[in-house]
Amino acid sequence: MATVSFSSDCTCTSELFSTARYWERLAPKSLPSPAVILAMKNRTKGAALRVVCCIGLVCAVSCAAIVHANGIIVEINLRAEGPTSWSPRLLGETFVPDPIFVYNNWSSYDELSDNVQLTEHLAMKELDEIIRLRGLIPGLWFGTNTLVKIDPVPQWEDSLNRQRRAMSFYEGGFLQGFIDVLQYWYERGIRMFKFDFVDFTAATPKAEETQSRGEIYSRNVDAFRAALKNFRRKNPNVVLVAFNGFGGDIESTANPFPFQHPIDLRWLEVFDSLYSGDPRPSDVPEMNFWRSMDIYSDHMVRRYEQSDVPLERIDSTGFMVGNTGTVYYRKTNAWRGALVLMLARGGWLNTVHGNLEFISDEDARWFAKVQSLYLRLEATGRTKTFGGIPREVKPYGFGSVDSGGAVYTILNPTESIAEIEMPLLSRLQEPNEEGRVLFRDAGFVPVLTGSKIKLGPGQLAVVGLARYANPEYDLGIQEDVRIPIRIQPLAAKFIPDGKNAIKAELSAPERGDLRIVMQQRGSDGRIRRSSGGAPPNGTTMGKILMLRAWQSGQPLPIEINYDKAIWSGLSWAVGEIKHSAMTTGEAVTIRCSSSEKDSVALDGHILEVEY
């Protein structure tokens, strides 16, 4: 896996081409490899388009994907390429012949939820990293029909909405000019196009006077889809990916389902993948903040699957490393589990974001090993989901099977030790016996008994069966996620303690730490997220959703992992008081509160945990 990011304000097309030629020198055409994104401002045919240039992998010629980093080569034998033509009768079929990776330098910079600007220095630093990999096919990232930090050009005037922030697809000259730009760059070697922040409610003032919002939306959708369909027919090797604005409710895992903004499955006629939301904390409380983010991406993939989007066509975008607000200054915390889950979900377009200089050569070897395991299964086998819906806080998983065996990736989101059945994924599959745990979080050791596995609270594990129950597929232990070896709820009753606050009193346990869990709901009983704004000036969540504890009148230290400025909001707080900080048997008072101005309802419970 590799990275690049390049950014500059280009005033002519030659600057983009010189960059593309530079990549061609670095990348032997015989070596296909994962994808890359560059950010640029580009002026093409007089049309100022703010785009992000994406260097992407498409295995259009070779039937083997190769990860190559500093002498590391892992070959993944994938199935041969199918025909380039596509029929609407094959709605669930992918356009790309094999799973691919896309790299995006977003989260190494962040101009939306932070103030980390995309500079040439930052871009060239990422470029140095991508040189470790080769075989890159360039692409472009468009803001589609919305204007962000750019002004409209004359050709778009008859398509602009009243606010002059977006263009109609079915009125004026914008759409044809947009497609002309796509064709212009396709003919110059660009093979991947990403469409983001689309606005299908955009209409000219004249149209707004005579047409309903629903009619405007439908006309925009029909016009854009028809244009992309024609573009794909003309250019069958293109890769088209859809991000924000193409349906689905991705703000929270607590949103009602079915989606209030349904996914129009006709988009599968033109797009290789539909993305299911940037990583953010779910509404499932977890002591490890990053595990809650894993659960968010798992949940959204399940909801998209329930909306009849094939798993192969869902881009979970679940892997980000970086030191910016958009990724909550994650750096590389718990990155291994995030990578495993992204691949386990079965998507054929896997987007990786961020600072890949944070990934060492040793990490890259492990990355390649994970790819070699999952990409083979995805290309030659099938992936299915099983268990509960993640937001419903029941154990669940993703299983992939081929003719040689199966790999199950399982997560227990509950606050208890729980067991789950790993079901057969195919009628031809041998019974699930004599499996092997290939990967797990540190702490609790999973108990594998035939087709069942017992996991600790919040734990992730990977199990290999038949061919894959072999030490050669071992992925090790994720040491920066530690799972309790024992957990049990304590009988502590919370009572109101003023506005938006509850408290409880209990005796300090003889053994183990105290885990405090608080969940916030609105006055209507539904999950309520709070946010103090994005970095660098946002208020961190530890000052909004607050946990406090005292013993003998003295404050007790509480370890928390959620005290971050979270642009997407948070509905819970979890913290732990170490056993060593308390006097056994003496009363401990715990107070949970929210600084929300409106009245909210708080749920609280306390558990004893031992590591």
Side-chain angles (χ1 to χ4, degrees), residues 320-345:
M320 283 191 182
V321 292
N323 197 28
T324 59
T326 196
V327 71
Y328 318 107
Y329 302 104
R330 178 177 193 152
K331 296 185 179 177
T332 57
N333 282 293
W335 72 273
R336 292 176 183 247
L339 177 65
V340 163
L341 280 166
M342 182 177 71
L343 285 168
R345 294 172 189 129

Side-chain angles (χ1 to χ4, degrees), residues 499-500 520-524 528 594 596-601:
K499 182 180 179 181
N500 295 344
Q520 179 176 264
R521 300 179 183 273
S523 56
D524 59 358
R528 169 78 174 270
S594 170
E596 281 286 346
K597 294 181 180 179
D598 299 334
S599 293
V600 296

Side-chain angles (χ1 to χ4, degrees), residues 461-498:
V462 177
V463 174
L465 290 137
R467 167 187 177 179
Y468 299 104
N470 189 304
E472 70 175 286
Y473 296 106
D474 283 353
L475 299 174
I477 298 174
Q478 181 165 237
E479 296 290 352
D480 54 353
V481 179
R482 182 159 289 276
I483 305 300
I485 61 174
R486 189 177 66 87
I487 185 169
Q488 64 177 14
L490 297 178
K493 182 179 181 181
F494 279 92
I495 61 174
D497 189 40

Side-chain angles (χ1 to χ4, degrees), residues 290-360:
W290 314 114
R291 180 49 41 82
S292 187
M293 288 177 60
D294 293 336
I295 294 170
Y296 167 84
S297 296
D298 290 341
H299 177 84
M300 295 313 304
V301 166
R302 291 295 296 272
R303 289 307 196 202
Y304 271 61
E305 181 193 29
Q306 287 179 310
S307 301
D308 296 323
V309 181
L311 288 175
E312 294 87 348
R313 310 292 290 278
I314 304 170
D315 179 4
S316 71
T317 320
F319 184 91
M320 283 191 182
V321 292
N323 197 28
T324 59
T326 196
V327 71
Y328 318 107
Y329 302 104
R330 178 177 193 152
K331 296 185 179 177
T332 57
N333 282 293
W335 72 273
R336 292 176 183 247
L339 177 65
V340 163
L341 280 166
M342 182 177 71
L343 285 168
R345 294 172 189 129
W348 273 37
L349 199 147
N350 298 283
T351 302
V352 170
H353 289 81
N355 299 82
L356 288 187
E357 68 270 22
F358 292 170
I359 304 297
S360 68

Side-chain angles (χ1 to χ4, degrees), residues 171-321:
E171 303 169 274
F174 171 74
L175 179 58
Q176 186 57 56
F178 187 68
I179 297 299
D180 288 345
V181 168
L182 299 185
Q183 190 62 47
Y184 179 88
W185 287 114
Y186 185 90
E187 292 170 0
R188 285 154 180 80
I190 301 297
R191 290 296 180 269
M192 178 177 289
F193 297 95
K194 169 182 169 179
F195 302 94
D196 207 351
F197 302 115
V198 70
D199 181 2
F200 291 119
T201 68
T204 64
K206 182 178 180 180
E208 287 181 335
E209 292 175 0
T210 59
Q211 298 168 15
S212 68
R213 184 181 179 89
E215 186 177 4
I216 290 170
Y217 189 96
S218 295
R219 289 192 177 193
N220 273 317
V221 166
D222 291 345
F224 189 46
R225 187 175 59 249
L228 288 183
K229 189 180 295 187
N230 290 333
F231 181 75
R232 182 177 281 282
R233 287 197 187 102
K234 185 175 181 180
N235 309 291
N237 292 323
V238 73
V239 177
L240 304 178
V241 298
F243 268 58
N244 287 286
F246 292 91
D249 301 320
I250 60 177
E251 294 78 15
S252 167
T253 56
N255 284 334
F257 187 81
F259 290 138
Q260 292 180 327
H261 300 90
I263 299 170
D264 187 341
L265 296 178
R266 292 175 297 174
W267 286 122
L268 298 178
E269 297 175 6
V270 294
F271 287 120
D272 291 271
S273 66
L274 303 177
Y275 119 121
S276 58
D278 286 343
R280 67 199 72 190
S282 71
D283 297 292
V284 177
E286 291 288 342
M287 182 62 194
N288 188 290
F289 179 82
W290 314 114
R291 180 49 41 82
S292 187
M293 288 177 60
D294 293 336
I295 294 170
Y296 167 84
S297 296
D298 290 341
H299 177 84
M300 295 313 304
V301 166
R302 291 295 296 272
R303 289 307 196 202
Y304 271 61
E305 181 193 29
Q306 287 179 310
S307 301
D308 296 323
V309 181
L311 288 175
E312 294 87 348
R313 310 292 290 278
I314 304 170
D315 179 4
S316 71
T317 320
F319 184 91
M320 283 191 182
V321 292

Side-chain angles (χ1 to χ4, degrees), residues 319-524:
F319 184 91
M320 283 191 182
V321 292
N323 197 28
T324 59
T326 196
V327 71
Y328 318 107
Y329 302 104
R330 178 177 193 152
K331 296 185 179 177
T332 57
N333 282 293
W335 72 273
R336 292 176 183 247
L339 177 65
V340 163
L341 280 166
M342 182 177 71
L343 285 168
R345 294 172 189 129
W348 273 37
L349 199 147
N350 298 283
T351 302
V352 170
H353 289 81
N355 299 82
L356 288 187
E357 68 270 22
F358 292 170
I359 304 297
S360 68
D361 289 347
E362 182 181 352
D363 293 336
R365 292 182 179 91
W366 188 89
F367 199 122
K369 188 174 183 179
V370 177
Q371 284 181 308
S372 71
L373 172 63
Y374 281 101
L375 294 188
R376 177 187 291 112
L377 281 161
E378 291 176 8
T380 63
R382 293 292 306 274
T383 297
K384 297 182 180 180
T385 60
F386 61 93
I389 299 298
R391 171 64 187 91
E392 296 173 357
V393 197
K394 298 177 182 178
Y396 63 87
F398 302 88
S400 297
V401 61
D402 65 12
S403 59
V407 171
Y408 292 81
T409 305
I410 314 105
L411 199 151
N412 171 24
T414 73
E415 293 284 355
S416 64
I417 296 171
E419 188 173 65
I420 183 173
E421 176 89 20
M422 296 177 292
L424 293 178
L425 306 170
S426 166
R427 288 177 295 177
L428 301 180
Q429 183 181 351
E430 294 294 327
N432 287 338
E433 300 173 352
E434 299 183 5
R436 181 181 181 87
V437 176
L438 305 177
F439 176 79
R440 66 174 175 90
D441 298 317
F444 186 91
V445 178
V447 179
L448 187 59
T449 308
S451 62
K452 295 182 179 180
I453 186 169
K454 186 178 294 184
L455 298 176
Q459 188 166 36
L460 168 67
V462 177
V463 174
L465 290 137
R467 167 187 177 179
Y468 299 104
N470 189 304
E472 70 175 286
Y473 296 106
D474 283 353
L475 299 174
I477 298 174
Q478 181 165 237
E479 296 290 352
D480 54 353
V481 179
R482 182 159 289 276
I483 305 300
I485 61 174
R486 189 177 66 87
I487 185 169
Q488 64 177 14
L490 297 178
K493 182 179 181 181
F494 279 92
I495 61 174
D497 189 40
K499 182 180 179 181
N500 295 344
I502 55 176
K503 72 175 181 179
E505 187 172 293
L506 73 164
S507 296
E510 293 185 3
R511 53 186 289 196
D513 306 333
L514 288 181
R515 176 176 290 186
I516 308 161
V517 181
M518 178 184 78
Q519 183 109 55
Q520 179 176 264
R521 300 179 183 273
S523 56
D524 59 358

